[in-house]
Amino acid sequence: MSSTPSSVTVDSDEPDSGNHSGAAILRRVLVRNRRPLAIGTVLVCLHQLTETAVPISIGVIIDRAVETSDTTALIVSIVGLAALFLVLTAAWRFGARFIVTAMQQEAHRLRLEVAHRVLDPRGVRTDLRSGELLTVSTSDAEQTSWIADIVPRAAAALTAAVASAVALVWIDLWLGLAVLIGTPVILGLLQLAAPLITSRATGQQASIARASAMATDLVSGLRPLRGIGGEKTASARYRTVSRQALASTIGTAKATGIYTGVAATVSALLAVGVAGFAGYFALQGRITVGELITVVGLAQFIIEPLGLLASIPGYFAVARASSDRLALVLDAEPLRGAGSQTELEGTDLTLDGVEYKSLKGIDLHLPAGELLGVVAYQPQDADALVAVLSGQLAQDAYRGVVRVGGISLSDMDLRLARRTVLVEPHITDLFSGSLASNVTAGAGDAAALDIQSALAASAAADVVDAHPDGLDLEVTDRGASLSGGQRQRVALARALVAQAPVMVLHDPTTAVDAVTEASIAEGIAELRHEGAGGIHTTVLITSSPALLAVTDRVIVLNDGVIASIGTHSELSRGDVNYRGAVLR
């Protein structure tokens, strides 16, 4: 007998945005795993019943075989006891297999659901940072799946407690009543501490997620931090957040430890009390020697299920806290709705009265086929413009309208919007896999000619030629096996292969030398415009003179507004501020 893992997939194109409260998520975990959990629960309950039967059987053997010196009865009893142990072992083995399989599959499903929600093209309206989302999709998904283990274990422990109490009632009414009454009283009192543990667990997971988020940000921004000498400041900030996470973890551990210790102590005292009274009753002749041994055996055995029942609220509190954090992502509203426009009517780009963060009403029109340079004297203006053009902001997050071919980005079908505008941010990541898979990500049907053209235009052909494996070269996660300049060129090639009608490049050449930068500038202009038949519109947000020299015109942003417009040559000759920012 074995359990067969079922197929785990997330099928829908549009992620479910229904009610995913913490309690609802836990119920859903149990419902969609009801079959394996039902089988596993029955088997582990059978295991506990046979465990309970062991001390009872030993007591019966002593009374009916040992004290009577009945050899035949002793042999039969030993064979029966061996069969009991066989059932006990098999029930636990197969029951645990069903339960653990369900729990691991559920953790996998939850990870997929979180990833699907985070990768929703509509975006996710949440304040959680990337590191926090990583924690939610890993440790919180894992801890939420514990409910698939908690319920069967609770059922098994309750089965053992009830079976032991029934056996004790059969031997002596008062011994049985002590367990039947004492167990719910203990559990009820201990349950009062569950909200405190839940609160501590929630705070702990939130603080750990904040530390993970900061660690992720620091690792991804290590190069610029070194450039500005900010390592000590960043290290101090992370040390503070890490200490807060440590203090929260220690506080949760203390609360859980005290709770578990009290629960185990009270459960043990109840078992010791039952055993003590049984010894007294045996001395009075109220129970036999075999019944005394049964009671003592049950008293020792019942400590474990009583302790488990007492600790269940603590485990449940952790699972509930994690499920609440999952709900923050799974229940988050999309940043933008899905428009109805499915056809593109042009590639001209228009910004009407755009206000976002530092931007103060940007009006701009790019005819189809234009190669526009943007110089931002303040970095926050460039970042804000990139965010608006990306189409990933909620419609109520900024004022104004962004149109392509006269159609607002918010009115476009999601697939059309993603296919129309491609924004390559300044900080980009590569994925583990081959160079080829990174270059063609998002454009799997790209022809070999298109790939080679993009590699040449981005100067990434040098990266390919530098390795014997060429495009089959394996790249580690985040492109860590490549230099900064190599990563930047491969990411640029990936953007060029997509052949988006409108492409926005934010500082695409900051990690390459001047000669390579000039080659890339010419490659972008040639690939996107000179040989594109006037259908591509490109925005280069940069202060690189090599890139700006190939643009049709340049706009300058200063304090959130368009300060000047002209060609690179005109601005270089007539604008002292421009010369200072670009020709330094």
Side-chain angles (χ1 to χ4, degrees):
M1 181 179 180
S2 64
S3 58
T4 303
S6 60
S7 174
V8 181
T9 58
V10 179
D11 298 321
S12 64
D13 291 333
E14 299 294 337
D16 178 21
S17 59
N19 183 12
H20 293 97
S21 67
I25 290 175
L26 294 179
R27 285 195 299 270
R28 183 160 56 91
V29 169
L30 296 176
V31 169
R32 67 184 177 189
N33 292 281
R34 56 188 177 276
R35 182 177 178 275
L37 289 183
I39 296 173
T41 300
V42 169
L43 289 174
V44 294
C45 287
L46 176 60
H47 166 77
Q48 290 296 302
L49 284 174
T50 51
E51 284 261 37
T52 307
V54 170
I56 297 173
S57 300
I58 293 174
V60 171
I61 291 172
I62 290 174
D63 281 342
R64 298 187 180 182
V66 176
E67 287 196 352
T68 60
S69 301
D70 189 337
T71 304
T72 302
L74 181 61
I75 294 173
V76 172
S77 298
I78 291 175
V79 172
L81 192 61
L84 191 63
F85 273 102
L86 180 62
V87 173
L88 180 153
T89 303
W92 171 255
R93 176 185 176 187
F94 293 111
R97 181 181 297 182
F98 275 99
I99 293 169
V100 171
T101 299
M103 184 173 63
Q104 294 301 322
Q105 287 185 345
E106 187 56 40
H108 179 57
R109 288 190 186 98
L110 292 173
R111 286 192 292 269
L112 286 180
E113 287 180 10
V114 174
H116 195 200
R117 190 70 190 89
V118 171
L119 296 175
D120 185 347
R122 298 173 298 176
V124 180
R125 192 188 295 269
T126 177
D127 294 330
L128 298 177
R129 293 154 64 188
S130 57
E132 292 176 293
L133 291 173
L134 178 63
T135 301
V136 170
S137 65
T138 52
S139 62
D140 284 321
E142 183 75 24
Q143 290 169 348
T144 299
S145 71
W146 288 0
I147 193 66
D149 185 54
I150 291 171
V151 170
R153 285 184 181 272
L158 188 60
T159 298
V162 172
S164 299
V166 170
L168 291 173
V169 167
W170 183 266
I171 295 172
D172 186 274
L173 176 62
W174 294 107
L175 292 176
L177 289 178
V179 177
L180 287 173
I181 296 174
T183 299
V185 170
I186 292 172
L187 293 178
L189 292 175
L190 291 172
Q191 183 63 31
L192 297 177
L196 172 62
I197 297 177
T198 301
S199 175
R200 290 287 182 90
T202 302
Q204 174 197 358
Q205 291 156 356
S207 62
I208 291 175
R210 285 193 295 271
S212 298
M214 181 168 288
T216 301
D217 293 343
L218 291 179
V219 170
S220 61
L222 185 58
R223 187 180 297 273
L225 279 173
R226 286 175 175 169
I228 63 175
E231 300 99 315
K232 290 185 178 180
T233 301
S235 178
R237 290 181 59 195
Y238 179 73
R239 190 180 298 112
T240 300
V241 174
S242 181
R243 285 175 176 171
Q244 291 173 348
L246 176 62
S248 180
T249 301
I250 292 174
T252 303
K254 284 183 179 179
T256 304
I258 293 172
Y259 177 89
T260 303
V262 171
T265 300
V266 174
S267 300
L269 289 176
L270 175 62
V272 169
V274 170
F277 277 108
Y280 175 72
F281 291 161
L283 291 176
Q284 289 185 326
R286 288 176 56 174
I287 59 176
T288 66
V289 174
E291 290 173 333
L292 172 61
I293 292 175
T294 296
V295 171
V296 172
L298 289 175
Q300 290 179 325
F301 162 71
I302 204 172
I303 291 176
E304 181 181 351
L306 286 180
L308 180 57
L309 284 173
S311 64
I312 286 296
Y315 290 115
F316 178 80
V318 174
R320 176 58 191 273
S322 288
S323 67
D324 286 339
R325 286 178 56 77
L326 279 177
L328 293 177
V329 178
L330 298 180
D331 240 6
E333 296 180 358
L335 284 175
R336 53 162 295 177
S340 58
Q341 191 71 34
T342 59
E343 294 293 333
L344 188 64
E345 298 180 1
T347 58
D348 58 303
L349 176 65
T350 303
L351 284 73
D352 287 335
V354 171
E355 296 181 12
Y356 177 67
K357 291 187 175 180
S358 61
L359 299 182
K360 304 171 184 177
I362 301 296
D363 294 310
L364 182 65
H365 179 72
L366 283 72
E370 181 174 15
L371 175 55
L372 177 75
V374 177
V375 175
Y377 290 160
Q378 290 81 31
Q380 60 268 29
D381 289 346
D383 293 338
L385 181 61
V386 168
V388 171
L389 294 176
S390 71
Q392 298 301 312
L393 296 177
Q395 187 61 41
D396 57 0
Y398 67 96
R399 293 183 180 179
V401 181
V402 178
R403 296 185 180 89
V404 177
I407 303 172
S408 170
L409 287 180
S410 59
D411 292 334
M412 291 185 185
D413 173 78
L414 289 173
R415 291 180 177 82
L416 177 62
R418 296 176 69 186
R419 190 170 64 247
T420 299
V421 182
L422 187 152
V423 175
E424 186 70 12
H426 173 53
I427 299 177
T428 59
D429 285 321
L430 302 181
F431 309 101
S432 58
S434 66
L435 275 177
S437 65
N438 273 278
V439 172
T440 59
D445 57 348
L449 182 61
D450 296 332
I451 296 174
Q452 293 303 322
S453 299
L455 290 173
S458 63
D462 296 341
V463 181
V464 176
D465 296 339
H467 297 275
D469 293 334
L471 283 171
D472 293 327
L473 174 70
E474 286 296 316
V475 178
T476 58
D477 192 34
R478 302 177 72 93
S481 57
L482 302 176
S483 69
Q486 290 174 327
R487 286 197 300 272
Q488 202 168 52
R489 283 179 278 171
V490 172
L492 177 57
R494 178 177 61 193
L496 293 173
V497 166
Q499 298 183 4
V502 177
M503 185 166 70
V504 181
L505 300 176
H506 184 196
D507 284 332
T509 58
T510 53
V512 301
D513 58 79
V515 175
T516 304
E517 188 173 45
S519 173
I520 291 174
E522 294 176 1
I524 293 174
E526 180 178 353
L527 184 65
R528 291 281 300 172
H529 296 273
E530 294 175 16
I535 62 171
H536 290 157
T537 301
T538 307
V539 179
L540 290 175
I541 303 175
T542 181
S543 59
S544 163
L547 292 175
L548 294 170
V550 300
T551 60
D552 298 317
R553 60 174 174 152
V554 177
I555 69 165
V556 177
L557 296 179
N558 187 21
D559 291 329
V561 299
I562 297 178
S564 54
I565 302 177
T567 65
H568 173 63
S569 298
E570 293 169 348
L571 293 172
S572 297
R573 290 193 304 269
D575 191 327
V576 63
N577 292 326
Y578 183 84
R579 283 199 303 272
V582 174
L583 303 178
R584 57 186 184 278

